[in-house]
Amino acid sequence: MSDLRIAVLGVGMMGADHVARIGSRIAGARVTVVNDYVTEKAEQLAATIPGCRAIADPLDAIADPDVDAVVLATPGPTHEKQLLACLEYGKPVMCEKPLTTDVATSLEIVKREAELGKRLIQVGFMRRFDLEYAALKALLDDGGLGTPLVMHCTHRNAAVPPYFDSSMIVKDSLVHEVDVTRFLFDEEISSVQLITPSASPGAPEGLQDPQIAIFRTATGKHVDVELFVTTGVAYEVRTEVIGDNGSAMIGLDVGLLRKSAPGRWGGEITPSFKERFWLAYDIEIQRWVNAVRAGEQTGDYTDGPVAWDGYAAAAVCAAGVASLESGLPVEVEMVARDTIPGA
Amino acid sequence: MSDLRIAVLGVGMMGADHVARIGSRIAGARVTVVNDYVTEKAEQLAATIPGCRAIADPLDAIADPDVDAVVLATPGPTHEKQLLACLEYGKPVMCEKPLTTDVATSLEIVKREAELGKRLIQVGFMRRFDLEYAALKALLDDGGLGTPLVMHCTHRNAAVPPYFDSSMIVKDSLVHEVDVTRFLFDEEISSVQLITPSASPGAPEGLQDPQIAIFRTATGKHVDVELFVTTGVAYEVRTEVIGDNGSAMIGLDVGLLRKSAPGRWGGEITPSFKERFWLAYDIEIQRWVNAVRAGEQTGDYTDGPVAWDGYAAAAVCAAGVASLESGLPVEVEMVARDTIPGA
Amino acid sequence: MSDLRIAVLGVGMMGADHVARIGSRIAGARVTVVNDYVTEKAEQLAATIPGCRAIADPLDAIADPDVDAVVLATPGPTHEKQLLACLEYGKPVMCEKPLTTDVATSLEIVKREAELGKRLIQVGFMRRFDLEYAALKALLDDGGLGTPLVMHCTHRNAAVPPYFDSSMIVKDSLVHEVDVTRFLFDEEISSVQLITPSASPGAPEGLQDPQIAIFRTATGKHVDVELFVTTGVAYEVRTEVIGDNGSAMIGLDVGLLRKSAPGRWGGEITPSFKERFWLAYDIEIQRWVNAVRAGEQTGDYTDGPVAWDGYAAAAVCAAGVASLESGLPVEVEMVARDTIPGA
Amino acid sequence: MSDLRIAVLGVGMMGADHVARIGSRIAGARVTVVNDYVTEKAEQLAATIPGCRAIADPLDAIADPDVDAVVLATPGPTHEKQLLACLEYGKPVMCEKPLTTDVATSLEIVKREAELGKRLIQVGFMRRFDLEYAALKALLDDGGLGTPLVMHCTHRNAAVPPYFDSSMIVKDSLVHEVDVTRFLFDEEISSVQLITPSASPGAPEGLQDPQIAIFRTATGKHVDVELFVTTGVAYEVRTEVIGDNGSAMIGLDVGLLRKSAPGRWGGEITPSFKERFWLAYDIEIQRWVNAVRAGEQTGDYTDGPVAWDGYAAAAVCAAGVASLESGLPVEVEMVARDTIPGA
């Protein structure tokens, strides 16, 4: 099967990140078109990617025959028109949040896609793919906490850009917990209350920070969210769900932490080396592939342990096996590395 | 740049895992040849991969013009001959441990590659690529613990296969800590002692389990390793380094944990959403690419939040902004989902 | 200085616990009078304590010349009259919560004591004495979190008695967080909101459980409290304070956990053996005192390591010092314990 | 029953600590005699304690009719003679480690006491009374880890006094792990090996620090101990026991942490407020007793929440109950505190 040819629209921080990701870590896809309203930025980026062009008009980029699918990382106000173009051309699109910037146009998009009869639009609520959120969702779906009743969330940033205003805390930050609530509980939110404590002395003049959001879901579940985007500390995203049969917390830097009757707390330990080291294997192979592809230039086709490391391990293990038999310390015998130039 | 064409030799558990990895998660590479001494296994696997053939003889597979690089996941005793073939054809090779099964042939391989004047061989000590080991290495290299003095390691498995014997605990398990020691300390191990406590009642008859290994490095650092491969619990790999300026531990399910003067313990918090969620982004995009490529068949080009989720988020945030202004609870207004068939 | 002679009024669970505590773990005090509205209960208890009498009328107990001070563990509705008696006789009183059962009489008590011009009444909000709350208070007072802005509390019980009703969750459980808020922030609470999510399927019919309480303090700080008293799990009391200069959490079974700029989390490590083991020393000495006092009867004046343990330690250390010199394993030489009958 | 009258011999750091402990935190005992080879030190201390005298000769102190029992905190070389005196006078004695300074005299003491036929001597291995060690011992005795096989210990100090030499690391530090091993495993240690890695750059000239001790017990259990007494960090004492049915660790600032099949880690949560707050209750009552006893002088018979705090709690809870009924925020009504002078 040939690679999926992707157009990335908008190559600011988020879009450029997607371009790099698809180029270096995603199998079965490549970026063939990039676009940005700052055309030079797109052109410079395209020049660094084999087989990639910049196209100045986003709608032309969507329509281009070299494009199978679209990643939308443009500013929110342009989404509506671009999404409609994707639907028109029948091209799948991965749309960074927000879908559109208001409720009415969002609903319009939903209706248009429904009329087409195929799902082309995915929205970039990436937390659903986070291993901890996925584990929490699985725990809830398996009934591990019984009936979920209450959820506490914290959403803290060290700092935000100067243009960030009080309503963006709702629309750009809280929106993630909106999706997390709907994802974890599989039901809609029916009412919202925002509480505004005294503002932090460290918050910019005029920014209502922190804020506390209170959700009530369709079946009466309670969710509270602390939003504090100028903590000066770090990025802290934590979620705790309390059910009638125990509670679980993620985001406390210790994986999913669970409390259950009778009086137990704890987590899971990795069952085997695969779960523990799968990511290490991925990184190892990806870096090796990259090194081999660059090897013609560098003369070095490795980016990790070399043959000498294999020899040294063999020598140490041989001494270890000898000690296992004798029970005594055994000296390791190895040639000096510098006797083999190039090793 | 075209994809790297890889031959995977040996498609047992480890090799099959590499085939799946390269096919689904590694950018810039594809598997064009597979080989196994059970030829049907290789043939069946090849049939599932577009553009991939099985080749019965491993040396033919290495020599094949359709192969740019080799992944060696064959049994250890075959490594020597296969590595020499890779060197002969000048093909980069990622060789699962061990390099070869004895010290003399390992040294021979090192010498042959050194004569070629280019590094073609990488050995599969994948822990060097684990994020926690990498963080520990960086901490040591930055002098964060001062001079490292002592290292404690545990290496526990829930269970091992029936053929696992006492010396395999050294050659198959301890070998990882051999490499970890050399990697973290950048020096060779000069002596080894194996201590054999009373065997666990749960260990198979004749298996000396647990074992304690004691290393002394060239500069006099002390390393001890608990090896216990029939714990019945889980996979627990833990490493603690103690320097004259603090200590750090990895593998305790909490990332790197550090103790430092004056009387502080702790870790780092993720500085921004990128560090926290980069893997979620990768998974999101990979799953979306896979869904889009399969969309022709399924009519569904998504594998994540859909347009409706974007609409719902918009509706909730609109209510949130209204509440931010009034301070009162605000009902969320949404159309019913089932009024839009297909949404 | 002679021991403080204490009357304990009410010897139900709480009062009996205080009697046992004063008798076995509190220096400088003894219980000379006990009282309960179930007179036999008080009489039976008094019979087990040297120098202690039961007095049937609580006001007589307060007035008794053998009583220097009073511990009040009687039901709340009787507090007012008993506190007034304590004030009348000028006797210091440690009053379990509530002070009285309504606001007006509580205020009356405050006024009467103020007129006396000496503080005789202490209220039993014991969390102020908990080491973790004290550490959190110290951290706040030292400005370690900057200006406190938000506090999250959880207050969970595995179960409550059958008579526990929805308003008791406020008056008996939430009251602790009321005091914690006032203690930590040194300011009054100005408004309260109780949110009632769907009740837990595991809660008794008619009990609104869980509940969420929202406080706003005089200066605009936000406090939320999750109250959930039928979790079936355990007793979980957790408090997190977020300031403009970091956050800290207690009650997560890891001591005080703190997050601070730049991107650090962690806690304090015990600086010396005193901080680590002071409680062990207290317990050791208390158990030894108890054993010695009972020794006449038992012939054993110890409740801990005996002389043999001292000998064995000496023998092992002697072998250790020999090994330190030789670097080799050294056998420990000891006589067999059973060659010394009585050792 | 009258208080136990105790002589404390040796009032250096350790002994003075015992004097303070008995005076302020231990029920049923008081210090009637203190002794030190620096006689003024003992006299100054005695002057601060009601009913306490200094006696210059330790043997006179032991013999004194005002002394029921003895705490021995004198230097080790004097223990033999003083312990023999305690045995002669039949006085119970709590002897700080070591029992005596060599193996032969320790054995002699064991024999003399055995001849007396009553246990008078307790040795100050206080770790047995630490709540975490006690929990680990209980877990082992209950068979919770199956057969214990291996134990890892760390014993780190930030710093040691200048006179501390290499063999004191064995006799003063390692001696605790000697007792811990014997206590937890209920068997003797049969061989010892000390390993000496390169010394820490931060260790004083001539001090072999760190050291690694290896024990083998009578039944073949393996114990290793890292001793590192000049870490510059803090006091870190950690013990992990691995059995054929799971492992458990204490000293990691999180209580007892346990790993067990199938793939679970975790700990216990406090079952009720008693376990969570018993120490807070003890401290509350002890501080209140102390305040009441000092009240005559200060006019303040409290050292904790006062009547006003009880009133404030009542006012907040009343508002809470009102909000529970209405679901709306309710203002708290309170008089201003300064309208009641003295409150």
Side-chain angles (χ1 to χ4, degrees):
Chain A
M1 186 189 313
S2 57
D3 280 353
L4 190 72
R5 297 166 304 165
I6 295 176
V8 176
L9 275 55
V11 292
M13 186 184 70
M14 202 65 236
D17 202 43
H18 280 311
V19 169
R21 168 176 296 113
I22 294 167
S24 65
R25 291 200 305 270
I26 299 298
R30 56 199 163 89
V31 176
T32 51
V33 168
V34 292
N35 155 273
D36 200 274
Y37 75 98
V38 185
T39 49
E40 306 83 60
K41 188 154 61 167
E43 279 160 10
Q44 284 168 13
L45 185 59
T48 68
I49 304 167
C52 178
R53 288 172 299 140
I55 295 184
D57 184 309
L59 301 186
D60 290 349
I62 292 166
D64 196 276
D66 249 10
V67 167
D68 299 320
V70 177
V71 167
L72 219 62
T74 47
T78 68
H79 283 190
E80 183 188 2
K81 195 174 287 187
Q82 294 165 1
L83 287 168
L84 290 173
C86 290
L87 292 179
E88 184 184 343
Y89 290 102
K91 299 209 173 166
V93 56
M94 188 18 246
C95 174
E96 282 302 322
K97 70 171 176 69
L99 186 64
T100 69
T101 51
D102 63 89
V103 184
T105 53
S106 286
L107 184 58
E108 189 57 27
I109 295 291
V110 169
K111 288 180 176 167
R112 289 284 186 94
E113 187 202 36
E115 287 161 16
L116 275 184
K118 46 183 175 177
R119 283 196 198 287
L120 291 172
I121 301 171
Q122 181 165 328
V123 184
F125 291 123
M126 83 295 176
R127 286 198 196 169
R128 298 190 184 196
F129 301 95
D130 177 65
L131 299 182
E132 294 191 2
Y133 280 101
L136 181 55
K137 173 67 168 163
L139 180 64
L140 290 171
D141 286 354
D142 291 351
L145 302 182
T147 304
L149 301 165
V150 168
M151 179 160 71
H152 304 301
C153 307
T154 61
H155 185 137
R156 297 182 195 149
N157 295 76
V160 284
Y163 57 79
F164 217 80
D165 68 28
S166 297
S167 73
M168 291 179 76
I169 292 180
V170 176
K171 290 188 286 186
D172 270 34
S173 301
L174 181 61
V175 67
H176 282 292
E177 273 77 18
V178 168
D179 190 63
V180 163
T181 299
R182 299 179 62 257
F183 170 61
L184 291 178
F185 290 163
D186 276 327
E187 60 180 288
E188 300 294 351
I189 293 166
S190 55
S191 80
V192 185
Q193 178 182 8
L194 267 288
I195 294 173
T196 52
S198 295
S200 169
E205 182 69 26
L207 184 66
Q208 174 55 54
D209 187 45
Q211 299 179 19
I212 310 292
I214 310 282
F215 299 158
R216 187 179 187 96
T217 71
T219 67
K221 295 175 173 51
H222 169 87
V223 178
D224 48 49
V225 185
E226 175 208 322
L227 298 144
F228 190 3
V229 300
T230 59
T231 65
V233 174
Y235 186 67
E236 301 173 64
V237 167
R238 202 163 66 216
T239 298
E240 181 183 24
V241 177
I242 303 97
D244 74 326
N245 197 23
S247 65
M249 192 189 296
I250 60 173
L252 204 67
D253 307 291
V254 293
L256 189 151
L257 196 66
R258 188 174 167 187
K259 304 203 172 187
S260 59
R264 302 284 310 162
W265 67 276
E268 312 275 336
I269 322 175
T270 313
S272 81
F273 76 95
K274 281 200 180 179
E275 289 79 2
R276 173 66 181 83
F277 284 119
W278 73 266
L279 187 57
Y281 281 113
D282 278 15
I283 296 171
E284 174 192 51
I285 297 297
Q286 187 68 63
R287 284 178 53 180
W288 174 69
V289 164
N290 296 350
V292 169
R293 295 175 85 185
E296 209 82 339
Q297 274 71 50
T298 63
D300 187 351
Y301 297 78
T302 66
D303 185 12
V306 297
W308 175 265
D309 299 304
Y311 161 66
V316 174
C317 286
V321 171
S323 173
L324 183 59
E325 284 157 12
S326 70
L328 297 172
V330 172
E331 298 296 310
V332 175
E333 290 181 28
M334 289 176 61
V335 303
R337 191 167 186 172
D338 55 15
T339 62
I340 310 177
Chain B
M1 187 189 314
S2 58
D3 280 351
L4 189 71
R5 296 167 305 166
I6 295 177
V8 176
L9 273 55
V11 292
M13 186 184 71
M14 203 64 237
D17 203 44
H18 280 312
V19 170
R21 169 177 294 112
I22 294 167
S24 67
R25 294 199 303 270
I26 299 297
R30 57 199 160 90
V31 176
T32 50
V33 167
V34 291
N35 155 273
D36 200 274
Y37 74 99
V38 185
T39 50
E40 306 81 61
K41 190 155 60 168
E43 280 160 8
Q44 284 168 16
L45 185 59
T48 67
I49 303 167
C52 178
R53 285 172 300 140
I55 294 184
D57 185 309
L59 302 186
D60 290 349
I62 292 166
D64 196 278
D66 249 13
V67 168
D68 299 321
V70 177
V71 167
L72 220 62
T74 47
T78 67
H79 282 190
E80 183 187 4
K81 196 175 287 186
Q82 295 164 2
L83 287 168
L84 290 174
C86 290
L87 293 180
E88 185 185 341
Y89 291 101
K91 298 208 174 166
V93 56
M94 198 359 257
C95 173
E96 282 301 322
K97 70 168 173 75
L99 186 64
T100 68
T101 51
D102 62 89
V103 184
T105 53
S106 286
L107 183 58
E108 189 56 29
I109 295 291
V110 169
K111 288 180 176 166
R112 289 283 187 94
E113 188 203 35
E115 288 160 16
L116 275 184
K118 47 183 176 178
R119 283 197 198 285
L120 291 172
I121 301 171
Q122 179 165 327
V123 184
F125 291 123
M126 83 295 176
R127 287 198 197 167
R128 298 192 184 194
F129 301 95
D130 177 65
L131 299 181
E132 294 191 3
Y133 281 101
L136 182 54
K137 173 67 169 164
L139 180 64
L140 289 172
D141 287 353
D142 291 352
L145 302 183
T147 304
L149 302 165
V150 168
M151 178 161 70
H152 305 300
C153 307
T154 61
H155 186 136
R156 297 181 196 149
N157 294 76
V160 283
Y163 57 80
F164 218 80
D165 67 28
S166 297
S167 73
M168 292 179 74
I169 293 180
V170 176
K171 290 188 286 187
D172 269 34
S173 301
L174 180 61
V175 67
H176 282 293
E177 273 77 17
V178 168
D179 191 63
V180 163
T181 299
R182 299 178 61 257
F183 171 61
L184 292 177
F185 290 163
D186 276 328
E187 61 180 288
E188 301 295 348
I189 293 166
S190 55
S191 79
V192 184
Q193 178 183 9
L194 266 288
I195 293 173
T196 53
S198 293
S200 170
E205 182 70 26
L207 185 67
Q208 174 55 53
D209 187 45
Q211 298 180 21
I212 310 292
I214 311 282
F215 299 158
R216 187 180 187 95
T217 71
T219 66
K221 293 176 174 53
H222 169 87
V223 177
D224 48 49
V225 184
E226 176 208 321
L227 298 145
F228 190 3
V229 299
T230 60
T231 65
V233 175
Y235 186 67
E236 301 173 64
V237 167
R238 203 164 64 217
T239 299
E240 181 183 24
V241 177
I242 304 96
D244 74 327
N245 197 23
S247 64
M249 192 188 295
I250 60 173
L252 204 69
D253 308 291
V254 293
L256 191 152
L257 197 66
R258 187 173 168 187
K259 302 201 171 188
S260 58
R264 302 284 310 163
W265 67 274
E268 312 275 336
I269 322 176
T270 312
S272 83
F273 76 95
K274 281 198 180 182
E275 289 80 2
R276 171 68 180 83
F277 285 120
W278 72 267
L279 186 58
Y281 281 113
D282 277 15
I283 296 171
E284 175 192 50
I285 297 298
Q286 187 68 63
R287 284 178 53 178
W288 174 68
V289 165
N290 295 350
V292 169
R293 294 174 86 185
E296 207 83 338
Q297 274 71 49
T298 64
D300 188 349
Y301 296 77
T302 65
D303 184 12
V306 298
W308 175 266
D309 299 305
Y311 161 65
V316 174
C317 287
V321 172
S323 173
L324 182 60
E325 283 156 13
S326 70
L328 297 172
V330 172
E331 297 297 310
V332 176
E333 290 182 27
M334 290 175 61
V335 302
R337 190 167 186 173
D338 56 15
T339 62
I340 309 176
Chain C
M1 185 189 315
S2 57
D3 281 350
L4 190 72
R5 296 166 305 165
I6 295 176
V8 176
L9 275 55
V11 291
M13 186 183 71
M14 203 65 236
D17 203 43
H18 280 311
V19 170
R21 168 176 296 111
I22 294 166
S24 66
R25 292 200 304 269
I26 298 299
R30 55 198 163 89
V31 176
T32 50
V33 167
V34 291
N35 155 272
D36 201 274
Y37 75 99
V38 185
T39 49
E40 306 83 61
K41 189 154 61 167
E43 279 160 10
Q44 284 168 14
L45 185 59
T48 68
I49 303 167
C52 177
R53 286 173 298 140
I55 294 183
D57 185 310
L59 301 186
D60 290 348
I62 292 166
D64 196 278
D66 248 12
V67 167
D68 298 321
V70 176
V71 168
L72 219 61
T74 48
T78 67
H79 283 189
E80 183 188 2
K81 195 174 289 186
Q82 294 164 3
L83 286 168
L84 290 173
C86 289
L87 292 179
E88 184 185 343
Y89 290 102
K91 299 209 173 165
V93 56
M94 193 8 252
C95 173
E96 282 302 322
K97 71 171 173 69
L99 186 64
T100 69
T101 51
D102 64 88
V103 184
T105 53
S106 286
L107 184 58
E108 190 56 28
I109 294 291
V110 169
K111 289 180 176 166
R112 289 284 186 92
E113 187 203 36
E115 288 161 15
L116 275 183
K118 49 184 173 177
R119 282 196 200 287
L120 291 172
I121 301 172
Q122 181 166 327
V123 183
F125 292 123
M126 84 295 175
R127 286 199 197 169
R128 299 191 183 195
F129 301 95
D130 176 65
L131 299 181
E132 293 191 2
Y133 280 101
L136 182 54
K137 174 66 169 165
L139 180 65
L140 290 171
D141 287 353
D142 290 352
L145 302 182
T147 304
L149 301 165
V150 169
M151 178 161 70
H152 306 300
C153 307
T154 62
H155 185 136
R156 298 180 195 150
N157 294 77
V160 283
Y163 58 79
F164 217 80
D165 68 28
S166 297
S167 74
M168 291 179 76
I169 292 180
V170 176
K171 290 188 285 187
D172 270 34
S173 301
L174 181 60
V175 67
H176 282 292
E177 273 77 18
V178 168
D179 190 63
V180 163
T181 300
R182 299 179 62 257
F183 171 61
L184 291 178
F185 290 162
D186 277 328
E187 61 181 286
E188 300 294 349
I189 293 165
S190 55
S191 80
V192 184
Q193 178 182 8
L194 267 287
I195 294 173
T196 53
S198 294
S200 170
E205 183 69 27
L207 184 67
Q208 173 55 54
D209 186 45
Q211 298 180 21
I212 310 292
I214 310 282
F215 299 159
R216 188 180 188 95
T217 71
T219 66
K221 294 175 175 51
H222 169 86
V223 178
D224 47 51
V225 185
E226 176 208 321
L227 298 144
F228 190 2
V229 300
T230 60
T231 64
V233 175
Y235 187 68
E236 301 173 64
V237 167
R238 203 164 65 217
T239 299
E240 181 182 24
V241 177
I242 304 96
D244 73 328
N245 198 24
S247 64
M249 192 189 296
I250 60 173
L252 203 68
D253 308 291
V254 293
L256 190 150
L257 196 66
R258 187 173 167 187
K259 303 201 172 190
S260 58
R264 302 283 311 164
W265 67 276
E268 312 276 335
I269 322 175
T270 313
S272 81
F273 75 95
K274 280 200 181 181
E275 289 79 2
R276 172 67 180 84
F277 284 120
W278 72 267
L279 187 57
Y281 281 112
D282 278 15
I283 296 172
E284 174 192 50
I285 297 298
Q286 187 67 64
R287 284 178 52 179
W288 175 68
V289 164
N290 296 350
V292 170
R293 294 175 85 184
E296 207 82 340
Q297 275 71 50
T298 63
D300 187 350
Y301 297 78
T302 65
D303 185 11
V306 297
W308 174 265
D309 299 305
Y311 161 65
V316 173
C317 287
V321 171
S323 173
L324 182 61
E325 284 157 11
S326 70
L328 298 172
V330 173
E331 298 295 310
V332 175
E333 291 181 27
M334 289 176 63
V335 302
R337 191 167 185 172
D338 56 15
T339 62
I340 310 176
Chain D
M1 187 188 315
S2 58
D3 280 352
L4 189 72
R5 298 166 305 165
I6 295 177
V8 176
L9 274 56
V11 293
M13 186 184 71
M14 202 65 237
D17 202 42
H18 280 311
V19 170
R21 168 177 295 112
I22 294 166
S24 66
R25 293 199 304 270
I26 299 297
R30 55 200 162 90
V31 176
T32 51
V33 168
V34 290
N35 155 273
D36 201 273
Y37 74 99
V38 185
T39 49
E40 307 83 61
K41 188 155 60 166
E43 279 159 11
Q44 284 167 16
L45 185 59
T48 67
I49 304 167
C52 177
R53 286 172 299 140
I55 295 184
D57 185 310
L59 301 186
D60 289 350
I62 292 166
D64 196 277
D66 248 13
V67 167
D68 299 319
V70 176
V71 168
L72 219 63
T74 47
T78 68
H79 283 191
E80 183 188 3
K81 196 174 287 187
Q82 294 164 3
L83 286 168
L84 290 174
C86 289
L87 292 180
E88 184 184 342
Y89 290 102
K91 298 208 174 165
V93 55
M94 198 0 257
C95 173
E96 282 301 321
K97 71 169 174 72
L99 186 65
T100 69
T101 50
D102 63 89
V103 185
T105 53
S106 285
L107 183 59
E108 190 56 28
I109 295 290
V110 169
K111 288 181 177 166
R112 288 283 186 94
E113 189 202 35
E115 287 161 15
L116 275 184
K118 47 183 176 179
R119 283 196 198 287
L120 292 172
I121 301 172
Q122 181 165 326
V123 184
F125 291 124
M126 83 296 176
R127 286 199 198 169
R128 298 190 184 196
F129 301 96
D130 177 65
L131 299 182
E132 294 192 2
Y133 280 101
L136 181 54
K137 173 67 168 163
L139 180 64
L140 289 172
D141 286 353
D142 291 351
L145 301 183
T147 304
L149 300 165
V150 168
M151 178 160 71
H152 304 301
C153 307
T154 61
H155 185 137
R156 299 183 194 147
N157 295 75
V160 284
Y163 58 79
F164 217 80
D165 67 28
S166 297
S167 73
M168 291 179 76
I169 292 180
V170 176
K171 289 188 286 187
D172 270 34
S173 301
L174 180 61
V175 67
H176 282 293
E177 273 77 19
V178 168
D179 191 62
V180 163
T181 299
R182 299 179 62 257
F183 170 61
L184 291 178
F185 290 163
D186 276 328
E187 60 180 290
E188 300 294 349
I189 293 166
S190 55
S191 80
V192 185
Q193 177 183 9
L194 267 288
I195 294 173
T196 52
S198 294
S200 170
E205 182 70 26
L207 185 67
Q208 173 55 53
D209 188 46
Q211 298 180 20
I212 309 293
I214 311 281
F215 298 159
R216 187 179 188 97
T217 70
T219 66
K221 294 175 173 53
H222 169 86
V223 178
D224 48 50
V225 185
E226 176 207 322
L227 298 144
F228 190 3
V229 300
T230 59
T231 65
V233 175
Y235 186 67
E236 301 173 63
V237 167
R238 202 165 65 217
T239 298
E240 182 183 22
V241 177
I242 304 96
D244 72 328
N245 198 24
S247 64
M249 193 189 293
I250 60 173
L252 204 68
D253 308 291
V254 293
L256 189 151
L257 196 66
R258 186 173 168 187
K259 302 202 172 188
S260 59
R264 303 284 309 164
W265 67 276
E268 313 275 336
I269 322 175
T270 312
S272 82
F273 76 95
K274 280 199 180 180
E275 289 80 1
R276 171 68 180 82
F277 285 119
W278 72 267
L279 186 57
Y281 280 112
D282 278 15
I283 296 171
E284 175 192 51
I285 297 297
Q286 187 68 64
R287 285 179 51 180
W288 174 68
V289 165
N290 296 350
V292 170
R293 294 174 86 185
E296 208 82 339
Q297 274 73 48
T298 64
D300 187 349
Y301 297 78
T302 66
D303 185 10
V306 298
W308 175 266
D309 298 305
Y311 161 67
V316 174
C317 286
V321 171
S323 173
L324 182 60
E325 284 156 12
S326 70
L328 297 172
V330 173
E331 298 296 311
V332 176
E333 290 182 27
M334 290 175 62
V335 302
R337 190 166 186 173
D338 56 15
T339 62
I340 310 176

